[in-house]
Structures are given as structure tokens and as C-alpha cells.
Amino acid sequence: MLIDITTALPPYKVSRRKAAEELKKRMTGRPAAARMIDMAAMHSGIDSRYVVVPDAEDNPSKVFYSKGTPPPGTKVRMQEYEKWSKDLTTKAIGDLLEKTNFKPSDISRLITVSCTGFFAPGLDYHIMKTFGLPQCTQRTNIGFMGCAASVIGFTSVLEALSSSKNAPPPNTLLVSVELCSLHLQTEPTRDNILSNVIFADGCAAALFTGGAASHEGAASHEGAAPRLQLLSTRSIMFDNSDDIMGWKIGDLGFEMILSSDLPNIILQQAAPALLKIIDESGFSKDEIRHWALHPGGRAILDAMQSGLQLSESDMKASRTVLKNYGNMSSASILFVMKDLLENGGIKNGDILCAAAFGPGLTMETAFFKGV
């Protein structure tokens, strides 16, 4: 059972116009590349994003990427990742525990999700130490699996809850943090321009319990009644898709690969595959009342809407998150689900389908039921 979701954002908010201006300063003096930046920004479906680099600030002394100076190496970027990932996860988890009235001692399983940085001891150690989680808390780290990683985390949640024989059933904390802005690349290639225009930073935490809505372990936390039942998850990997989406670790951060064929592959292959998964999971498409589709970009959402024949209402949560926050990689799907919990009118028995894409191309899906 999903109890609730909270989010945390960096302090620097950048508008689409401001981001395009800053990118043109840092990436190119060539008119053709500048036009590509403007075009990508205009068609991104994004109005604003939040980032941990202070480029959104007008104070020049705070600019992380200064024109005429070498961009920071991977070491510096990972130092920033460690600092900000700790700050944001602490905020999101603290808010979640306060909102649900759960204590750290209630948590018995911790799942951390991120693909934009590394350090060791990692986020799991930081979270356990900061909040005083039990030393016997079981941990899972899902790293470098892209925008679909939080949905992979849902599979780990299912495994954790179904395998435990504890009474009351265990409580599982899933936290995702992505700091894409730390990997800004200044060479004006198509992949770099698209990545710099759409990706953003954010953090989300979700709390799951194995107890039913009436279980005393859930009912004992005032205001923490379960919201959604996690029913099942499914995965699929598409053939000959190695060069469609991915990244490598370079001397100056992570280097993205984003094929221009991605929206077409999603339309032609991913959407039909999702319809098949829905059918094989025992649902009809008409039974899906709520859709949490990863807001990877406007073209990706357009392809999913067209391929699944969804209404604008069906797409509202995903497009709202894209518009206000950009593509926060794995954290995005949790932002969409939070929007649906707060604004989607999910009723008892309603079915929700979540889907996101990962490097390769892979697709991860999950089904929930309102309780």
C-alpha cells in the first residue's frame, strides 16, 4: 500500500527563456546552434525548472559555469552531487515522516534511486544515520537505470512486502533524487542541446506499508491511511535499441545519448507494448482511470497520447509536471503520482497505470488501485 509521497526542490528556479539565454552564452556563438537551442526550448513543453547549479541566479559570482573558464570535471560535479543529494533527500524524507506521523523506527526497508551521481558510503547510509533508522534496515540501491528507475523501485517494494513474514507487515521507504543540471555539457551537439533544455533536478520520497487500510499498523498513524494498493509491475526491453537512449561517464560529467527516433519508437513500439501489458495484466484499457506517464519531453508525451489514444484529461498530470519542473529523470514519475493523489480525484477501486522509459530502450510499468 502506498501511504503518501512528498517532494523536495533545489533553491534555483529557471524559466524557459532564462535557460535558453544561459545555454546560448555557454554553448555557442554560432547562429545555427543558437536557433536550435531556441527551437528546442520553445517545443519542450517546459515553462520552468529547478536546478542545484546557481546559473538561474543573476549574481555573476554564483555562476557555476563561467564563460571563458574550463567547465568543472567529474570530481567537482560528484562533490556537488553528494552535497545536494543529501540536502534534498533529508528534506523530502523529513516532510514525509512528519506528514504521515511515521517514526524512523517504523521503517524496515529502504530503497534509494538515482542515476546522476555516486558516492560511498552512499545515500542509504546518509539516510539511516540522519534519521536514525534501525541498524537492521534492509537496503536496496537502484542506480544508473535512468528515468524508469523509480518504477523499478516499485518492483523492489512488491518483493519486500510480499517476502516478509513480519507482523505487522514492514514499512518501506523509497526515495529518488536526480541532479541532472550537474552534467551540463557545453559542446553544441544535438544531444547536448536537448539534454540541457529538458532535464532538471528534483527529489521525491514515497512510503509504502504491507498493511491493509484497516491494519492496525497503518491505522495507528493518524492521517496516514493508505492511498493506493500496488498491484503488479512489468518490464520490457526493446530489440536493437542500444543507441536510442543512454549515457557514458566522461571527464566532464555524464554524456547523454538521445536519438531523434525516440518519439517514433515510443509511438510504434512502446505504446502497443503497454496496451499488451495492460491486457495481460487482466485489465482493459478502458478500466485504467488514471495515467502516470513519465514526462520525458513533449514529443514523448505526444507519442504516448497518440499511441494509447488518451484524452487531454488523461495527460494532465504528466504535462503539468513537465511544464512546471521539466524532466527530473527517475524522480518525475513520483511527482506525477503525487499530482494525481492531490488533484486526480482517485476513488476507491480506480486503476492507475504508471509507465516510464529507461536506457536501452526499456519500459517499466506498474499498476495501482485506489483504496
Side-chain angles (χ1 to χ4, degrees), residues 20 160 267 284 317 326 344:
L267 175 63
S284 69

Side-chain angles (χ1 to χ4, degrees), residues 21-307:
E21 290 175 357
E22 294 296 331
L23 289 174
K24 284 185 285 188
K25 290 177 186 177
R26 286 158 178 76
M27 295 190 73
T28 182
R30 302 204 306 262
R35 287 195 296 271
M36 184 180 294
I37 291 171
D38 284 335
M39 186 69 69
M42 184 184 306
H43 293 284
S44 65
I46 300 169
D47 282 356
S48 60
R49 292 177 284 164
Y50 291 81
V51 295
V52 297
V53 295
D55 292 56
E57 295 277 283
D58 290 328
N59 185 346
S61 67
K62 292 185 177 182
V63 173
F64 192 63
Y65 301 96
S66 300
K67 186 175 182 181
T69 62
T74 300
K75 178 180 179 180
V76 172
R77 298 176 196 237
M78 290 301 95
Q79 289 171 337
E80 290 293 308
Y81 172 85
E82 180 174 354
K83 172 189 180 299
W84 284 105
S85 63
K86 288 179 176 180
D87 287 351
L88 292 175
T89 54
T90 298
K91 176 67 166 62
I93 295 169
D95 289 349
L96 182 62
L97 294 177
E98 181 178 1
K99 184 178 181 181
T100 60
N101 201 30
F102 271 67
K103 301 184 296 292
S105 58
D106 293 326
I107 307 299
S108 57
R109 183 67 177 264
L110 172 63
I111 301 169
T112 49
V113 180
S114 188
C115 69
T116 46
F118 304 95
F119 60 94
L123 276 173
D124 54 342
Y125 181 89
H126 162 73
I127 292 166
M128 290 184 65
K129 183 178 178 180
T130 299
F131 291 96
L133 268 61
Q135 291 182 320
C136 58
T137 300
Q138 293 184 306
R139 296 161 293 136
T140 299
N141 181 61
I142 301 171
F144 236 52
M145 299 193 78
C147 301
S150 288
V151 187
I152 296 172
F154 296 157
T155 298
S156 294
V157 170
L158 270 180
E159 292 170 349
L161 298 182
S162 64
S163 65
S164 175
K165 301 185 184 302
N166 295 340
N171 301 310
T172 298
L173 175 63
L174 183 152
V175 57
S176 166
V177 59
E178 301 290 11
L179 306 178
C180 305
S181 70
L182 292 177
H183 302 291
L184 184 144
Q185 302 294 320
T186 55
E187 184 181 356
T189 65
R190 178 194 169 277
D191 286 352
N192 288 343
I193 288 172
L194 290 179
S195 299
N196 293 341
V197 163
I198 67 172
F199 283 105
D201 305 341
C203 176
L207 182 62
F208 294 83
T209 181
S214 60
H215 194 286
E216 63 177 355
S220 63
H221 298 89
E222 185 178 353
R227 312 285 294 279
L228 292 170
Q229 180 184 0
L230 176 55
L231 301 175
S232 63
T233 61
R234 290 282 299 273
S235 303
I236 186 169
M237 182 173 68
F238 299 97
D239 292 333
N240 304 316
S241 61
D242 307 47
D243 58 350
I244 297 300
M245 180 169 61
W247 63 93
K248 305 292 184 183
I249 300 178
D251 294 335
L252 303 176
F254 299 171
E255 302 167 356
M256 282 294 301
I257 302 165
L258 287 173
S259 171
S260 59
D261 291 333
L262 180 58
N264 186 57
I265 289 175
I266 288 174
L267 175 63
Q268 300 295 331
Q269 297 186 44
L274 180 52
L275 290 174
K276 183 178 180 182
I277 287 172
I278 290 171
D279 181 65
E280 291 174 348
S281 298
F283 306 110
S284 69
K285 195 205 107 180
D286 291 342
E287 288 182 276
I288 310 297
R289 303 300 302 272
H290 308 277
W291 297 85
L293 303 177
H294 171 64
R298 193 177 80 173
I300 289 176
L301 290 180
D302 288 348
M304 287 296 280
Q305 181 174 8
S306 178

